[in-house]
Amino acid sequence: MIIEIGHYTLVLALAIAVILSVVPVIGARHREQAMMDVAPFGSVLLFALVAFSFAALTYAHVVSDFSVENVWENSHSLVPLVYKYSGVWGNHEGSMMLWLLILALFSALVAVFGRNLPSTLKANALSVQAWISTAFLLFILLTSNPFIRLDPAPAEGRDLNPVLQDVGLAIHPPLLYLGYVGFSVCFSFAVAALIEGRLDAAWARWVRPWTLAAWTFLTLGIAMGSYWAYYELGWGGWWFWDPVENASFMPWLAGTALLHSALVMERREALKIWTVLLAILTFSLSLMGTFLVRSGVLTSVHAFASDPSRGVFILCILMIFIGGALALFAFRAPLLNAGGLFAPISREGALVLNNLILTVACGTVLTGTLYPLLLEALTGDKISVGAPFFNLTFGLLMAPVLVIVPFGPLLAWKRGDLLGALQRLYVVAGISFLVAVVFFYVENGGPVLAVLGLAAGLFLVLGAIADLWYRAGIGKVKADVAWRRLAGLPRSAFGTALAHAGLGVTVLGIVAVTAFHAERVIVMKPGESTDAGGYTIHFDGMRPATGPNYIEDRGHFRVSRGRFEVAEVWSAKRVYVAQRMPTTEAGILTFGLSQLYVSLGDPTNDGGIAVRIWWKPFILCIWGGALIMAAGGVVSLSDRRLRVGAPNRKAKAAKSAAPVMEAAE
């Protein structure tokens, strides 16, 4: 009965979404407050209904109700409880329910925390959110209903995909969807502003926190997905330029550009039209990622759908929302004021250059991702665009960003002093290059260009520190005064520094693991040993083991350095009972920021087994840098200025009268 109630609740949610799609918009057009007030109440009600429906589906998975087709296809009575919960979204239907739940959540959050928004903008934005909700509710109910019953009910389920039976499934998709769907708020604000014809600094102030929140979640989601693939698939890589990976990376690039563009618009009332276009494009890329994963055009562990009707339905959603938003933009943009002017050498100029490079890089990734699909659809020819293309084009485009980023915060608004910024950063650049050379020497050589990559990463980290250093006046004023200045800086200044430093740490990890990693692929028999990364790995042999729903053969390895044994590690070949599907469980040892990675291959006829061993120097910097970037987003979100509406005239006047705070900005 709970399943039927969950289904009917979803139908009721569709009815509420249709009402929200129409009534508030009409109320905003005719300035009818009662009709506009439907938006916040209806958005909260919509979230409650969707949450109940999602809870009903979760209940079916937890109790292993195999009379529900979705549970039967994606669960098993022996699956551990944590994977019964995460398995709810480990399939197409459930993942779309999670998407819808997060979409309804963001609508409710706008309704609850958007009290300072103008009534018309709030009503229009929530209506646009309801349009999106209506489309995805129809998609779920018509093509991807998770509440379909089976009669008679099977005695046992088919089991969850063994690759998905990992804690990563519980973390990665929710974080990724919070990022994907979070950009829907920016999209809705952009469309609402175009409908209303109002676009000013206050609009950017309202949009920026939602952009920052979505960007933070998406950063964490991409990082978690990368690490999950790294340790779960047993291939030793952290990024493959898979089309599904690219589908999440492109909104991140566009969202990063949007974040910086909104900052320029808020501070200088410039780049208005560009910021609105970025808000539309960022969510459009999120929708395109949904299409790629669920249309059946891709074959991937991420790709759930095989029914062409689903792809056609989502393609229609893409055409309606992306095409409609861009058409509205083309109609309204010429009527909007472009905003203020600024000198090329200024903080605005640095942010614009940052925007241009990020958007071109995003376009490059988009081209490399879609070109093989379009070519196959038009001509039937199959080609592969892989890592060499992306590494070359994307790497060359992003290299200037690594140099430009530290300069931006040190330039003044409207008109900056490039020579002054150079004078502040030449010491940082010198230290970065010197440390890179020392690192290159300690690692006993490698690609010479690695020195430049390491120097660029260190330049980002030290440049972020230098920004705070000069703002506080350390070395120029007394220590207590410098401390007060540092403590008085807005939290967004610390958040910016953390984000830039985090990018630098990630760059350091990428360069180090690419240039200095070591790999051994050998056949080992019990008692044999090999060397990697300065460690000796001894193979003791294979031992059988049994888990709750799998059996495995585990390889035991002892790791020593010199005469001393420092650790042991297990690597396994696992077979899940229900599907008889094999997986590889890599053995990973962490030494500081580096890792020793051991993966088993196939056994040989002479009693040996193929073993792949990687030494990954400083690889944890890749994901550690992403965590630092996300921490920067959280710190910036805690800034009070991002939690309020547009400042009133008195507050603005008081702010201009505070020279210390103005200097800090």
Side-chain angles (χ1 to χ4, degrees):
M1 188 63 181
I2 292 179
I3 302 304
E4 281 68 32
I5 295 175
H7 186 191
Y8 296 149
T9 302
L10 207 60
V11 175
L12 183 58
L14 174 61
I16 298 297
V18 171
I19 294 173
L20 283 173
S21 300
V22 178
V23 175
V25 174
I26 298 175
R29 183 172 183 83
H30 296 285
R31 296 298 193 271
E32 292 287 343
Q33 189 62 46
M35 297 180 72
M36 289 190 287
D37 287 341
V38 170
F41 174 76
S43 297
V44 174
L45 179 59
L46 177 64
F47 169 68
L49 292 171
V50 173
F52 181 88
S53 183
F54 187 85
L57 181 61
T58 303
Y59 171 81
H61 274 263
V62 171
V63 300
S64 296
D65 185 355
F66 298 122
S67 69
V68 179
E69 184 177 9
N70 181 263
V71 181
W72 170 67
E73 289 184 342
N74 302 284
S75 188
H76 192 277
S77 59
L78 296 179
V79 170
L81 182 61
V82 62
Y83 303 143
K84 290 183 178 180
Y85 280 104
S86 60
V88 174
W89 53 80
N91 56 87
H92 169 74
E93 293 82 3
S95 67
M96 294 311 303
M97 284 291 294
L98 180 63
W99 175 286
L100 179 64
L101 176 69
I102 295 175
L103 179 63
L105 171 63
F106 273 104
S107 298
L109 290 176
V110 172
V112 173
F113 295 105
R115 296 187 182 92
N116 293 323
L117 292 171
S119 298
T120 52
L121 179 64
K122 183 177 180 180
N124 284 327
L126 289 176
S127 282
V128 176
Q129 287 287 106
W131 298 348
I132 304 171
S133 298
T134 300
F136 278 92
L137 278 163
L138 285 171
F139 175 71
I140 291 173
L141 289 171
L142 296 179
T143 71
S144 309
N145 189 350
F147 297 107
I148 295 175
R149 289 279 196 179
L150 294 175
D151 187 22
E156 191 54 85
R158 290 184 171 181
D159 201 11
L160 179 64
N161 186 335
V163 176
L164 300 180
Q165 294 188 36
D166 186 86
V167 69
L169 181 64
I171 303 173
H172 169 58
L175 287 175
L176 199 66
Y177 283 9
L178 284 167
Y180 271 165
V181 184
F183 286 122
S184 69
V185 178
C186 311
F187 174 86
S188 297
F189 272 109
V191 173
L194 291 173
I195 292 173
E196 192 174 350
R198 174 183 175 180
L199 199 62
D200 52 21
W203 179 88
R205 177 178 288 269
W206 290 316
V207 167
R208 199 154 69 93
W210 301 102
T211 306
L212 190 56
W215 178 88
T216 300
F217 283 121
L218 188 57
T219 301
L220 291 172
I222 293 174
M224 181 62 215
S226 170
Y227 188 66
W228 183 17
Y230 164 75
Y231 74 76
E232 176 64 25
L233 298 182
W235 61 297
W238 55 273
W239 193 261
F240 193 62
W241 292 109
D242 178 90
V244 180
E245 290 178 328
N246 296 347
S248 63
F249 190 45
M250 287 184 289
W252 187 88
L253 291 171
T256 304
L258 173 61
L259 194 58
H260 291 84
S261 181
L263 177 62
V264 175
M265 182 176 170
E266 179 187 343
R267 296 304 182 95
R268 307 301 307 171
E269 294 201 26
L271 305 181
K272 293 181 179 180
I273 297 174
W274 174 244
T275 303
V276 170
L277 179 60
L278 275 178
I280 294 172
L281 292 179
T282 302
F283 183 61
S284 298
L285 290 169
S286 297
L287 287 176
M288 191 194 69
T290 303
F291 170 74
L292 288 176
V293 175
R294 288 163 179 82
S295 61
V297 301
L298 295 179
T299 301
S300 167
V301 68
H302 305 81
F304 296 122
S306 58
D307 183 358
S309 65
R310 294 172 174 173
V312 172
F313 201 112
I314 294 183
L315 184 59
C316 291
I317 293 176
L318 285 175
M319 293 174 61
I320 292 171
F321 285 99
I322 299 177
L326 291 177
L328 179 62
F329 174 81
F331 176 73
R332 283 289 199 177
L335 306 177
L336 298 174
N337 182 12
L341 301 176
F342 49 86
I345 305 299
S346 62
R347 191 178 300 189
E348 296 97 324
L351 292 172
V352 168
L353 183 57
N354 167 286
N355 263 230
L356 290 174
I357 296 174
L358 286 173
T359 49
V360 172
C362 181
T364 301
V365 177
L366 179 65
T367 301
T369 303
L370 294 185
Y371 178 72
L373 303 177
L374 293 176
L375 184 66
E376 183 179 355
L378 295 176
T379 67
D381 297 332
K382 292 186 178 182
I383 65 169
S384 175
V385 177
F389 167 80
F390 290 107
N391 290 339
L392 180 62
T393 57
F394 184 80
L396 289 176
L397 284 169
M398 292 303 292
V401 172
L402 307 182
V403 179
I404 295 169
V405 166
F407 283 89
L410 295 177
L411 294 173
W413 292 103
K414 199 170 184 178
R415 184 179 299 275
D417 181 6
L418 182 59
L419 180 60
L422 283 170
Q423 290 174 340
R424 290 181 171 185
L425 289 175
Y426 79 92
V427 174
V428 169
I431 294 174
S432 300
F433 185 78
L434 180 61
V435 174
V437 171
V438 171
F439 186 92
F440 183 81
Y441 175 78
V442 171
E443 290 292 331
N444 299 315
V448 177
L449 288 178
V451 174
L452 297 180
L454 293 171
L458 289 167
F459 185 56
L460 283 167
V461 176
L462 297 180
I465 297 173
D467 176 38
L468 299 177
W469 181 286
Y470 287 116
R471 286 191 182 202
I474 297 175
K476 294 184 178 180
V477 298
K478 293 181 179 180
D480 58 334
V481 176
W483 173 254
R484 285 199 300 271
R485 286 186 178 182
L486 185 64
L489 290 175
R491 293 182 184 178
S492 59
F494 292 98
T496 299
L498 280 172
H500 291 173
L503 177 61
V505 172
T506 295
V507 170
L508 287 173
I510 292 173
V511 174
V513 78
T514 302
F516 306 112
H517 80 283
E519 180 181 0
R520 297 292 305 275
V521 182
I522 61 174
V523 174
M524 298 185 73
K525 296 179 180 179
E528 294 184 343
S529 62
T530 187
D531 295 325
Y535 293 91
T536 301
I537 298 93
H538 308 268
F539 178 46
D540 290 335
M542 304 293 293
R543 303 175 188 175
T546 303
N549 61 336
Y550 61 84
I551 57 175
E552 65 179 7
D553 288 322
R554 308 172 68 198
H556 182 249
F557 298 84
R558 289 179 293 110
V559 180
S560 60
R561 194 177 186 104
R563 294 179 300 171
F564 302 98
E565 183 175 321
V566 295
E568 64 176 1
V569 63
W570 295 86
S571 183
K573 299 289 288 185
R574 182 177 294 178
V575 176
Y576 285 80
V577 177
Q579 295 189 13
R580 305 303 301 174
M581 179 176 176
T583 63
T584 299
E585 303 298 319
I588 302 176
L589 280 178
T590 300
F591 299 96
L593 296 174
S594 305
Q595 288 187 331
L596 188 67
Y597 190 108
V598 182
S599 179
L600 297 179
D602 295 327
T604 59
N605 295 329
D606 59 355
I609 188 168
V611 181
R612 300 189 70 176
I613 301 172
W614 289 272
W615 171 247
K616 303 283 188 178
F618 294 90
I619 191 169
L620 290 183
C621 287
I622 297 175
W623 305 295
L627 293 177
I628 295 173
M629 282 189 275
V634 173
V635 171
S636 293
L637 277 172
S638 69
D639 193 321
R640 180 181 177 277
R641 297 172 305 166
L642 292 182
R643 301 198 305 271
V644 297
N648 56 39
R649 294 182 181 273
K650 292 182 179 179
K652 193 172 183 179
K655 180 178 178 181
S656 64
V660 175
M661 291 300 296
E662 184 67 24
E665 294 299 312

